[in-house]
Amino acid sequence: MRAFIAILLALALAARSTRAAAPPAAKSAKEPAGSCPSGDGAACSDDKPNFKGEWYGEFFPGIPKIKYEGPDSTNPLAFRYYNADEVILGKKMKDWFRFSVAYWHTFRGDGSDPFGSATKNWSWEDPKLDPMQRAFRAMHANFEFLDKLGVEFWCFHDRDIAPEGATLEETNRNLDQVAEVALELQKGTPIRPLWVTAQLFKHPRYMHGAGSSPNASVFAYAAAQVKKCMDVAQLLGSSNYLFWGGREGYSSLLNTDMGMELDNLASFMKLAVDYNKRSGFKATMLLEPKPQEPTKHQYDWDVATTVSFLRKYGLEGEFKVNVECNHATLSGHSCEHELETARINGVLGNIDANTGDPQVGWDTDEFLTDPRECLLVALAVVRNGGLGVGGINFDAKLRRESTSPADLFYAHIAGMDGLARGLRSVARLIEDGRLDKLRAGRYASWTEKGGIGQRIRSGKATLEELEKWALSNPDPIADVASGSQELAGIYLDMAMR
Ligand code: XUL
Ligand code: CO
């Protein structure tokens, strides 16, 4: 009897877990129709020629090309602030931002978390298809999405676009095949990758790191992966090549030779820099700081640590940094601080414009929409004179509970509009001029002609000379003026609309 009950219980539990694993349907009655039913393609095929026999339907039927309708628009599938070709502060909005869609979150993110299985039911991820067919479909979905959103850049890890095979050779072949499809889809469009990176953190071989792994054979394998990934990036015309040190760090110093790991990581970077030059790729090389997660300590902790790493190993001038806002706050800084640190060191190359949640202590990768934060990010871009061949990618994902394909559009529209609104505010702030004046005014004594400030900045002053100067001049307390921080806040607030 007991055994019988146990069997019944086991069967009931098994049925429950199967139900829990099946993601809900992606459609919502109120929203535009989501995706085509997956599997056969016939139900939503149109007159487009079949491409390599993989797919000939629309993945986002019912979603129009997203247009600029101005701030009074009530249409959530329109831009209210982002007007791609409008010139602000001497540059088209699209050229200030060079927006890029992050492939991994947008097309491969399935909503799973450590406590629950996938929630999305994207048609390109049809479980009936094999991984390569799914990869081709996801690539088609990417290009339809970019076209409808009006974005000219995408960014990806090698393993986002093509699955690993049984051997490195097979993996490379998979990557070549999907890259070929991407190249075909790019043809006749302005669309190019903003940056490409090798995924050196998911596979168990990288559990101790890649360039900083204690195993030389893992280092060599990772180097081979980077070479191949750089070749694909070059083929697709990517402007940048990125390293985010997923597991380049440690979990315990007890078993870690930190000096050796850092030396090896620098060699890894040098090999890539060297190949970048010799292969004719000549991409801008980027490093993306993050303090921790998944490791306890990541070697590229923040921008300042990354700059000091580059200087120690003679790599300054070879890399710029990709500042991610959520990583900035994880490191105990603000995004503004990280952007400014990068700018004054001449290394601001790209931005992952996302945000975290102040109530959650990890990298939640949310779309950045807070007007004040967006203004400060846009201000950093303007102060830097733009991002050169870099740009802004979102590295942001839908919440697990957002399961409609239309949500992918809402999220990106909100992210793009947020920064566009920020840029419009920056233009007002600069035109108003009072914040710049307040800031510059605090340093007037350093630029005063013939003043002691100029003498000190020339590097010629000595301590004895300054002692003499202090003894023969009144106490500087009379010159110490208010910082007027609250007034600065009012100027910022007045520009925000
Ligand atoms: C992880 C992260 C990465 C990089 C690219 O925290 O930000 O997705 O942006 O590898
Ligand atoms: Co990132």
Side-chain angles (χ1 to χ4, degrees):
M1 186 62 188
R2 247 196 215 166
F4 181 62
I5 291 172
I7 289 169
L8 273 185
L9 208 69
L11 282 174
L13 279 174
R16 224 177 110 202
S17 70
T18 325
R19 266 204 307 278
K27 299 221 171 86
S28 139
K30 273 189 244 115
E31 285 161 356
S35 300
C36 299
S38 48
D40 54 282
C44 52
S45 67
D46 57 17
D47 54 4
K48 279 185 208 149
N50 191 354
F51 187 79
K52 280 185 139 237
E54 281 94 27
W55 179 252
Y56 50 100
E58 242 184 311
F59 292 97
F60 303 100
I63 305 271
K65 278 206 184 203
I66 310 301
K67 295 204 190 77
Y68 171 68
E69 292 185 3
D72 295 331
S73 172
T74 55
N75 175 9
L77 283 176
F79 294 117
R80 288 177 297 137
Y81 299 96
Y82 181 66
N83 190 10
D85 291 316
E86 186 180 330
V87 174
I88 306 262
L89 295 169
K91 225 190 262 222
K92 286 184 180 175
M93 286 185 120
K94 68 171 188 177
D95 296 332
W96 275 119
F97 294 128
R98 294 164 57 86
F99 284 127
S100 165
V101 168
Y103 201 92
W104 57 102
H105 287 313
T106 310
F107 301 104
R108 297 336 280 262
D110 62 7
S112 56
D113 71 12
F115 303 94
S117 53
T119 59
K120 323 284 185 202
N121 191 27
W122 306 141
S123 55
W124 53 91
E125 296 288 21
D126 186 343
K128 290 197 289 296
L129 302 172
D130 72 45
M132 279 302 278
Q133 285 175 308
R134 292 212 291 269
F136 292 133
R137 279 201 176 184
M139 191 55 73
H140 282 258
N142 175 43
F143 277 83
E144 185 187 326
F145 186 76
L146 291 168
D147 177 55
K148 288 186 168 171
L149 192 63
V151 164
E152 294 180 357
F153 296 96
W154 56 302
C155 48
F156 65 92
H157 305 82
D158 49 1
R159 303 297 177 252
D160 302 334
I161 66 166
E164 289 228 22
T167 62
L168 183 58
E169 220 178 356
E170 192 185 317
T171 303
N172 287 347
R173 211 175 316 122
N174 289 350
L175 190 56
D176 282 336
Q177 283 178 25
V178 181
E180 204 185 297
V181 171
L183 191 64
E184 200 59 37
L185 290 168
Q186 279 190 175
K187 260 190 201 149
T189 76
I191 297 173
R192 297 289 178 272
L194 181 65
W195 53 254
V196 176
T197 184
Q199 190 204 73
L200 302 172
F201 46 88
K202 212 165 206 167
H203 195 281
R205 76 175 70 86
Y206 296 128
M207 71 167 94
H208 304 292
S212 64
S213 170
N215 293 74
S217 53
V218 171
F219 181 111
Y221 191 102
Q225 189 178 328
V226 167
K227 181 204 167 278
K228 179 70 191 169
C229 190
M230 289 177 80
D231 290 344
V232 166
Q234 184 177 5
L235 175 82
L236 294 174
S238 180
S239 324
N240 303 276
Y241 186 82
L242 176 112
F243 286 94
W244 167 60
R247 292 184 191 273
E248 314 293 16
Y250 62 81
S251 294
S252 168
L253 270 183
L254 292 177
N255 64 358
T256 301
D257 183 340
M258 183 154 72
M260 176 141 179
E261 291 202 0
L262 281 162
D263 289 351
N264 290 346
L265 191 58
S267 311
F268 196 69
M269 299 302 160
K270 280 182 186 157
L271 290 171
V273 164
D274 173 52
Y275 186 66
N276 183 43
K277 290 176 185 160
R278 278 189 299 108
S279 65
F281 180 19
K282 297 197 168 67
T284 294
M285 305 291 276
L286 298 167
L287 283 178
E288 182 179 322
K290 183 175 182 183
Q292 70 271 117
E293 194 206 11
T295 60
K296 172 165 97 175
H297 177 97
Q298 186 155 322
Y299 292 134
D300 300 325
W301 183 272
D302 60 1
V303 173
T305 311
T306 304
V307 167
S308 117
F309 168 85
L310 293 173
R311 288 199 184 127
K312 175 175 177 190
Y313 290 103
L315 284 163
E316 66 268 53
E318 304 288 2
F319 280 90
K320 292 200 165 183
V321 296
N322 177 32
V323 171
E324 175 164 327
C325 294
N326 205 164
H327 295 177
T329 49
L330 286 180
S331 69
H333 301 303
S334 62
C335 192
E336 182 196 354
H337 168 91
E338 287 293 80
L339 292 167
E340 188 66 354
T341 306
R343 186 184 73 80
I344 64 176
N345 282 288
V347 293
L348 179 56
N350 200 85
I351 302 175
D352 279 21
N354 61 9
T355 192
D357 186 316
Q359 285 176 272
V360 179
W362 63 89
D363 197 15
T364 57
D365 286 341
E366 300 183 29
F367 281 84
L368 175 64
T369 53
D370 177 72
R372 193 173 192 277
E373 190 79 2
C374 286
L375 191 167
L376 294 172
V377 170
L379 183 60
V381 174
V382 170
R383 283 199 174 140
N384 201 54
L387 295 166
V389 298
I392 292 190
N393 62 271
F394 295 104
D395 197 2
K397 61 183 174 212
L398 293 182
R399 296 307 87 196
R400 184 167 191 266
E401 305 81 359
S402 298
T403 56
S404 158
D407 292 327
L408 290 172
F409 281 88
Y410 298 138
H412 283 84
I413 290 168
M416 291 163 75
D417 253 354
L419 286 163
R421 186 181 187 178
L423 181 64
R424 291 177 187 278
S425 300
V426 169
R428 277 193 291 272
L429 191 69
I430 291 175
E431 199 192 331
D432 177 80
R434 285 180 292 176
L435 184 65
D436 278 343
K437 216 168 144 201
L438 184 154
R439 194 165 71 134
R442 296 185 68 217
Y443 301 90
S445 61
W446 289 100
T447 48
E448 191 191 324
K449 257 209 148 113
I452 194 67
Q454 270 200 341
R455 173 85 186 151
I456 298 168
R457 279 176 74 84
S458 73
K460 291 183 191 134
T462 62
L463 268 191
E464 295 90 317
E465 183 190 339
L466 294 179
E467 182 190 42
K468 216 164 129 197
W469 188 92
L471 287 169
S472 57
N473 276 280
D475 189 315
I477 186 65
D479 290 336
V480 179
S482 167
S484 298
Q485 204 176 309
E486 296 76 9
L487 179 61
I490 289 178
Y491 293 147
L492 193 84
D493 199 55
M494 281 175 169
M496 242 175 340
R497 236 168 279 159

